[in-house]
Amino acid sequence: MIYLDNSATTNPKPQSVINASDNALRMSANPGRSGHSLSSAAAKKVYDTRCEAAEFFGVENEENVIFTPSCTFSLNTAIKSLMKNGGHAVVSELEHNAVIRPLEHLKDRGVTYTKAKVYIGDDDKTIDSFRSSINKDTRAIICTHASNVFGIRLPVERICALAHIYGIPFVLDAAQSAGIAGINMADGYDIVCIAPHKGLYAPMGTGLMLLSGDISPDTLVEGGTGSNSLSPTQPQEHPDKFESGTLNFPGIAGMYEGLRFVKSKGISRIFEHELRLLSILYQRLSKNPKIVLYTPFPKPESFVPVFSFNVKDKHSEQVSEYLQKNGIAVRAGLHCAPSAHEAFGTIDSGTVRISPSAFTRERDIERTAYVLSKI
Amino acid sequence: MIEKRGDSCGIAYINVSSVTHAMRGQKVLSANGIKSRIKRNTKKDHSVGCGYVLSVSSKDIVRAEQILMENGIKVAAPAKKGGEFI
């Protein structure tokens, strides 16, 4: 199987990740709950992972690295806290449902939002688009780092700076970028939401929420934290405030090794490898008259290594099925981001999405191009 | 505020609010040359419920307290002998 669905979750995971999760399952003690040696060792591994993530993303205090069950959970926490009293939010037109659906859910509390248009390769125009979307009621700007459908990269450092000029908190959805694009909390992000099972090669069921030192969102859930148990109210100290219930220890142990894997390979090296492969595929497909491409050649300043295409007169799911029969795994349809498809006029057919990983080989890409040439 | 208590063996206990704070506290103390151990607190009627203590040598308690506070390590109720709470 040639796996090109790494934007959904990376596959394979590094052996070190598999071993770490396996060991954690064998250890099978609850971190931060008991005083025995197994629980203490589990708590130490969780803490080490917190420190590793803090270093990786430039979080000043590791207590502001929050483990969640998913990037969606992190985004819900951020959005439902910042918008709890109603008001207006600005998002990009390329957002995932993890951003759009919480905002829609909050409409009965008076929340409204504006989708800012994104201009590929023209950051100034994109910034102007965000600026003109802000109004006096804007409470948050929530923006994807990169489209999970088309790979378009947004100038998030500049959008964050724009938000702060207006005194508005900025939430970064880094689901598709963490591990392949540099993210540093020193750039001023208020909240960064991450899907570690993608570019950080962690197991599924893991999520991260990184907080700046100046923000403490409301909780989405409350419950047992292993601390301050006599109090009926939720502890306010980070990370306990946000980590009620037993943590996904096998996932977190795997995340530790995933972070180390990416660090050892180097973000820029992984990015260059994946983008080079996509560039090869792009060139092959652009010569195929049956293929419909939606974005320009993927330049590193404007794209992450994800792209979408279609085959003329075929639904994207038919193409995916054809590729599956030929041993190639991709994702078709709307990719939980109908807004992005509306922007590109692909809402009816969806698109076929290709996303490589650090493990993808050039011959995998050549084979994919060949199979598509025969469709 | 940290209230220090020592036992007859020269060990003092500092009550911290979570296992993460205990581990960060231990790291910060270690970076400043102070050895510490993380233990569960043990007394059932203490003021906050489940939690952790950092045990340090009694001679280091004043400095440890200062270092923890300088590094924003939050502590809960004061601890005493054996990790029990007063």
Side-chain angles (χ1 to χ4, degrees):
Chain A
M1 168 72 78
I2 294 172
Y3 185 86
L4 295 173
D5 193 17
N6 291 282
S7 284
T9 194
T10 41
N11 180 331
K13 305 297 184 194
Q15 191 58 46
S16 57
V17 171
I18 296 166
N19 291 347
S21 292
D22 182 64
N23 288 339
L25 278 168
R26 288 172 202 283
M27 182 189 285
S28 205
N30 202 328
R33 295 294 191 271
S34 313
H36 57 76
S37 59
L38 279 178
S39 176
S40 299
K44 177 74 169 56
K45 177 55 77 178
V46 170
Y47 180 72
D48 288 346
T49 309
R50 219 182 283 284
C51 292
E52 194 71 25
E55 190 192 323
F56 195 94
F57 294 109
V59 182
E60 208 170 305
N61 182 341
E62 59 267 29
E63 289 162 14
N64 288 322
V65 172
I66 312 298
F67 295 118
T68 66
S70 65
C71 187
T72 295
F73 193 98
S74 304
L75 283 163
N76 268 262
T77 304
I79 293 167
K80 287 174 178 167
S81 175
L82 291 170
M83 306 304 295
K84 66 181 173 186
N85 295 321
H88 172 257
V90 177
V91 301
S92 82
E93 63 180 347
L94 303 176
E95 298 304 318
H96 190 275
N97 275 341
V99 169
I100 299 296
R101 284 182 172 170
L103 288 170
E104 284 288 327
H105 180 75
L106 291 167
K107 273 188 169 173
D108 59 4
R109 290 197 201 170
V111 168
T112 60
Y113 64 96
T114 303
K115 293 178 186 174
K117 190 163 173 50
V118 176
Y119 297 88
I120 301 170
D122 191 340
D123 289 351
D124 290 344
K125 226 170 158 184
T126 299
I127 296 295
D128 283 343
S129 168
F130 273 82
R131 185 183 291 114
S132 62
S133 300
I134 295 170
N135 67 38
K136 64 181 172 43
D137 292 324
T138 304
R139 307 272 169 85
I141 296 181
I142 306 135
C143 184
T144 187
H145 199 170
S147 164
N148 69 309
V149 184
F150 297 102
I152 299 158
R153 192 169 178 158
L154 280 80
V156 290
E157 296 90 348
R158 291 182 61 189
I159 298 168
C160 177
L162 173 76
H164 289 170
I165 288 170
Y166 289 86
I168 300 166
F170 181 80
V171 180
L172 178 66
D173 175 2
Q176 292 299 331
S177 58
I180 49 173
I183 296 165
N184 196 320
M185 290 299 278
D187 287 332
Y189 307 123
D190 295 286
I191 304 177
V192 176
C193 303
I194 290 168
H197 66 96
K198 298 183 180 183
L200 299 178
Y201 296 84
M204 286 174 276
T206 54
L208 281 173
M209 179 170 69
L210 312 179
L211 303 174
S212 77
D214 303 322
I215 199 160
S216 184
D218 290 343
T219 52
L220 203 57
V221 295
E222 298 80 32
T225 57
S227 58
N228 207 18
S229 309
L230 206 58
S231 169
T233 58
Q234 188 73 0
Q236 292 304 298
E237 290 87 11
H238 299 185
D240 291 29
K241 179 179 177 182
F242 305 103
E243 295 182 355
S244 292
T246 296
L247 288 172
N248 174 4
F249 178 52
I252 291 168
M255 192 195 305
Y256 177 82
E257 292 299 335
L259 285 160
R260 288 172 69 87
F261 170 79
V262 174
K263 204 160 83 174
S264 70
K265 296 281 174 203
I267 288 177
S268 55
R269 226 175 108 213
I270 293 174
F271 177 82
E272 283 162 19
H273 167 74
E274 293 181 13
L275 200 67
R276 188 181 74 81
L277 295 178
L278 269 196
S279 302
I280 292 169
L281 185 62
Y282 188 98
Q283 283 167 335
R284 298 280 191 282
L285 296 186
S286 63
K287 289 174 191 156
N288 184 337
K290 289 182 230 162
I291 302 289
V292 184
L293 297 170
Y294 296 96
T295 47
F297 184 80
K299 289 182 182 170
E301 60 274 19
S302 305
F303 287 90
V304 297
V306 177
F307 97 110
S308 268
F309 69 94
N310 268 320
V311 176
K312 277 175 192 164
D313 304 323
K314 287 197 185 297
H315 192 279
S316 59
E317 294 288 3
Q318 290 177 294
V319 180
S320 171
E321 201 173 80
Y322 166 78
L323 288 169
Q324 162 65 27
K325 282 178 186 161
N326 285 276
I328 299 165
V330 298
R331 181 166 171 190
L334 299 182
H335 315 93
C336 295
S339 181
H341 286 281
E342 278 166 6
F344 277 79
T346 50
I347 198 82
D348 291 332
S349 61
T351 57
V352 183
R353 182 182 70 183
I354 301 271
S355 49
S357 83
F359 292 101
T360 309
R361 303 158 299 183
E362 190 169 332
R363 68 171 180 266
D364 299 332
I365 293 298
E366 294 288 1
R367 168 79 185 154
T368 304
Y370 173 78
V371 168
L372 282 168
S373 73
K374 300 291 175 193
I375 195 168
Chain B
M1 147 151 203
I2 303 166
E3 188 172 326
K4 50 208 183 273
R5 290 283 187 275
D7 66 13
S8 57
C9 301
I11 301 294
Y13 299 92
I14 301 167
N15 183 25
V16 289
S17 55
S18 73
V19 71
T20 308
H21 288 197
M23 290 190 171
R24 190 157 82 85
Q26 188 178 46
K27 189 169 82 172
V28 165
L29 291 177
S30 175
N32 284 276
I34 297 177
K35 285 183 183 170
S36 64
R37 290 186 64 198
I38 297 169
K39 295 177 68 177
R40 287 286 283 183
N41 60 40
T42 53
K43 195 167 179 180
K44 60 186 174 188
D45 63 344
H46 58 72
S47 62
V48 291
C50 306
Y52 290 81
V53 293
L54 280 167
S55 70
V56 297
S57 167
S58 293
K59 68 177 170 55
D60 291 327
I61 185 69
V62 173
R63 219 175 120 236
E65 170 188 305
Q66 193 183 346
I67 290 164
L68 291 174
M69 287 197 296
E70 281 172 3
N71 284 276
I73 310 284
K74 292 183 179 172
V75 297
K80 67 169 187 178
K81 185 176 177 180
E84 293 182 347
F85 287 80
I86 56 171

